[in-house]
Amino acid sequence: MTIGCLVPSLANPVFAEAVQGVQETLSGTGHQLLIASSNYDGNADNEAIATLVAKEVDGLIVTMVAPERSVALKQARSRGLPVSLMFHDPVDGFLTAHVDNFEAAREVARRFADLGHRNTAFLALRFSSSDRSRNRYAGFHAECRARGLPDPALIELGEAEVNTPELLAEILATLGAVTAIFASNDFLAIAVQKAARLMGKSVPQDLSVVGFDGIEIGRLLDVPLATIETAPDAMGRQAAQTLLDMLQGKVCVQRPPLSFDFRAGATLGCPRTESRDDDQVASWPPSVPSLKTDLKQG
């Protein structure tokens, strides 16, 4: 009567809220929850799953680097252990509780375009290991193209750049005519705001910033964060209910994506008039990586 739950981090309130949703659904069912975290590390994912399986859990609820490539997860399923995913976009062979990252990112591009932004960038941490981040960039890129805008610059950051505002400011300074940044999560968007201040830029007058997730602290900033607001607690509840249905032998199908909202905040505004001068637009983009083949195409 135990359920294993693996998330990348409990320090991130998005995952903590999802775990709370799992606990709420399991309450009263007699199941106890065993929680593990992997710090976004694929090897740690496999080790955590192996440990949970060794403890003879009845099922797994997981968010991990790459569930479709995890050897430990494949072994768990071969033993008949039911698995329910959270946050991941649909993966063949798995049921998942998720938001449509591709469509949510398109909404960000629409907001930028409607306000007159042309030169944009997408900033991500762990881009290569996160299907969520990759699909957000794919949706953002697709809508920019649909609107006739230049391709957004893709900037993959390391931990050092995110945790050191001076380093992040140096990277932002290379973006030239960029007037709007879409960050792959709210923590990164908040870091961008601080780095912009170090550069002497004002948000949103000089640089608009939009995040993703809708963490509560974003509302409490001096300049409240514009972001895609999701419901991680609902994601946890849905993932847990799916797993309970599996344990009861019910026929389960992939459910539609959970809803998202655009929280307007105060970090999104019109670009300054001079930021759209022909000379600046002509110099765009500084460098744009090609889309990876596993991205969704718009």
Side-chain angles (χ1 to χ4, degrees):
M1 297 296 289
T2 56
I3 301 296
C5 183
L6 171 63
V7 292
S9 170
L10 289 172
N12 188 328
V14 171
F15 298 119
E17 288 179 33
V19 171
Q20 182 64 37
V22 170
Q23 289 179 318
E24 289 174 4
T25 300
L26 295 181
S27 177
T29 67
H31 290 90
Q32 299 298 313
L33 192 63
L34 297 180
I35 303 171
S37 63
S38 64
N39 196 31
Y40 303 90
D41 182 274
N43 291 329
D45 279 336
N46 284 322
E47 292 172 4
I49 289 171
T51 298
L52 291 169
V53 171
K55 293 182 179 294
E56 298 185 348
V57 296
D58 297 324
L60 293 168
I61 298 172
V62 301
T63 304
M64 56 191 302
V65 170
E68 71 281 5
R69 297 198 303 268
S70 170
V71 174
L73 196 60
K74 186 179 296 184
Q75 291 174 342
R77 297 187 71 197
S78 69
R79 297 175 56 172
L81 207 63
V83 175
S84 179
L85 303 182
M86 296 188 298
F87 294 98
H88 292 286
D89 289 282
V91 178
D92 287 344
F94 292 94
L95 298 181
T96 183
H98 71 298
V99 67
D100 190 332
N101 290 289
F102 187 88
E103 185 58 38
R106 289 185 63 192
E107 178 63 21
V108 176
R110 293 185 195 108
R111 299 281 177 153
F112 284 164
D114 289 346
L115 289 173
H117 292 282
R118 287 187 52 78
N119 302 323
T120 65
F122 180 85
L123 269 62
L125 181 65
R126 307 181 190 90
F127 181 83
S128 58
S129 61
S130 170
D131 59 345
R132 286 89 67 198
S133 185
R134 294 195 302 273
N135 285 333
R136 289 167 196 171
Y137 176 68
F140 187 57
H141 178 275
E143 187 62 24
C144 284
R145 283 203 166 180
R147 296 284 182 130
L149 304 181
D151 288 348
L154 169 59
I155 309 298
E156 184 171 7
L157 303 170
E159 296 280 355
E161 290 90 350
V162 176
N163 295 326
T164 309
E166 292 80 7
L167 292 178
L168 183 54
E170 290 178 7
I171 292 172
L172 296 184
T174 69
L175 294 180
V178 165
T179 60
I181 288 177
F182 178 25
S184 61
N185 63 54
D186 286 346
F187 280 122
L188 181 51
I190 292 169
V192 168
Q193 290 185 70
K194 185 171 184 178
R197 288 196 298 271
L198 290 178
M199 299 169 62
K201 289 182 175 288
S202 299
V203 175
Q205 291 83 359
D206 299 312
L207 185 67
S208 285
V209 181
V210 173
F212 199 106
D213 286 326
I215 61 175
E216 191 60 28
I217 195 172
R219 298 180 185 271
L220 306 178
L221 301 174
D222 290 340
V223 183
L225 181 64
T227 184
I228 293 291
E229 192 170 47
T230 64
D233 55 339
M235 210 170 294
R237 288 194 296 270
Q238 185 183 105
Q241 188 58 58
T242 295
L243 189 67
L244 289 174
D245 290 345
M246 290 179 182
L247 291 171
Q248 294 169 9
K250 296 180 179 179
V251 176
C252 299
V253 297
Q254 177 59 55
R255 301 187 189 187
L258 291 162
S259 62
F260 64 85
D261 293 305
F262 186 88
R263 184 198 296 170
T267 59
L268 175 61
C270 296
R272 291 188 188 276
T273 303
E274 61 268 23
S275 68
R276 288 177 284 176
D277 288 347
D278 290 341
D279 288 345
Q280 290 177 302
V281 172
S283 66
W284 177 260
S287 63
V288 180
S290 61
L291 277 175
K292 297 191 176 183
T293 56
D294 58 351
L295 297 183
K296 292 181 180 177
Q297 299 300 312

